[in-house]
């Protein structure tokens, strides 16, 4: 009844989906990500092959090749986690999925596992872009990078 007295939360943060190093999207060698064509965000160079949910939400899509997953967070951000570059060509080899489209996830839930050594041995970059695909729905979307991260550490700041 007195909800109008509550201050609306204007800031949202998304956690790192992996342990590793958070870097600017411009460091991704694929222009689709580097030039923010799919949205703003950050990239993580993973040091472990486990990919976790960056926020509470619903899994929108798990690609058949398991190299990418999308989540619509409870705060309305449409997040794409794309493990590696051109890894779709591996056709799922080295990837294990732990969620399906339509499932609810909590921040920190395991989404995917990837054999990083197998990906690198096949000649692919393991850098993992994390994008807010509906960037235009928000006042600002900023990557928080230049630091080592563990799953759940803030890597994207969103202002409504």
């Amino acid at each position: 009844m007195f909800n109008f007295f509550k201050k609306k939360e204007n800031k949202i943060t998304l956690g790192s989906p992996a342990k590793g190093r958070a870097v600017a999207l411009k460091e991704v060698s694929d222009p689709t990500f580097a030039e923010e064509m799919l949205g703003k965000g950050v990239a993580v160079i993973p040091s472990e092959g486990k990919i976790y949910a960056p926020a509470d939400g619903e899994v929108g899509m798990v690609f058949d090749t398991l190299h990418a997953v999308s989540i619509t967070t409870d705060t309305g951000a449409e997040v794409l986690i794309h493990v590696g570059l051109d890894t779709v060509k591996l056709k799922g080899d080295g990837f294990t999925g732990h969620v399906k489209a339509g499932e609810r996830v909590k921040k920190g839930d395991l989404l995917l596992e990837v054999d990083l050594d197998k990906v690198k041995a096949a000649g692919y970059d393991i850098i993992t872009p994390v994008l807010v695909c509906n960037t235009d729905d928000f006042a600002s979307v900023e990557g928080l990078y230049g630091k080592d991260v563990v799953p759940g550490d803030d890597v994207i700041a969103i202002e409504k």
Side-chain angles (χ1 to χ4, degrees):
M1 177 171 142
F2 295 102
N3 282 345
F4 59 91
F5 287 123
K6 287 185 180 175
K7 186 179 177 203
K8 289 237 181 190
E9 187 57 52
N10 254 2
K11 295 188 188 296
I12 304 163
T13 56
L14 301 179
S16 177
K19 180 178 181 181
R21 179 104 183 133
V23 298
L25 280 179
K26 66 182 178 203
E27 292 189 34
V28 179
S29 62
D30 182 327
T32 303
F33 300 114
E35 295 172 16
E36 301 177 337
M37 291 182 207
L38 298 176
K40 293 182 182 219
V42 72
V44 176
I45 302 168
S47 58
E48 292 180 351
K50 293 185 178 193
I51 305 299
Y52 300 93
D56 295 355
E58 184 175 310
V59 176
M61 186 160 96
V62 178
F63 287 70
D64 291 343
T65 52
L66 304 175
H67 75 287
V69 62
S70 70
I71 295 172
T72 299
T73 71
D74 289 348
T75 54
E78 296 169 6
V79 180
L80 173 67
I81 303 167
H82 193 284
V83 183
L85 302 182
D86 293 325
T87 47
V88 65
K89 294 175 184 168
L90 291 171
K91 298 184 174 134
D93 187 31
F95 291 84
T96 305
H98 292 281
V99 293
K100 292 182 174 31
E103 281 185 31
R104 295 253 341 127
V105 292
K106 290 276 190 203
K107 182 176 182 175
D109 285 354
L110 184 63
L111 303 174
L112 305 169
E113 285 185 88
V114 55
D115 183 335
L116 296 176
D117 292 332
K118 187 175 255 191
V119 172
K120 288 189 257 188
Y124 298 105
D125 191 337
I126 60 170
I127 197 165
T128 299
V130 183
L131 309 172
V132 176
C133 295
N134 61 334
T135 292
D136 291 344
D137 291 352
F138 300 100
S140 72
V141 174
E142 242 184 276
L144 308 172
Y145 50 82
K147 60 184 179 178
D148 291 329
V149 292
V150 295
D153 283 356
D154 292 347
V155 291
I156 299 176
I158 301 170
E159 208 167 306
K160 287 186 179 181

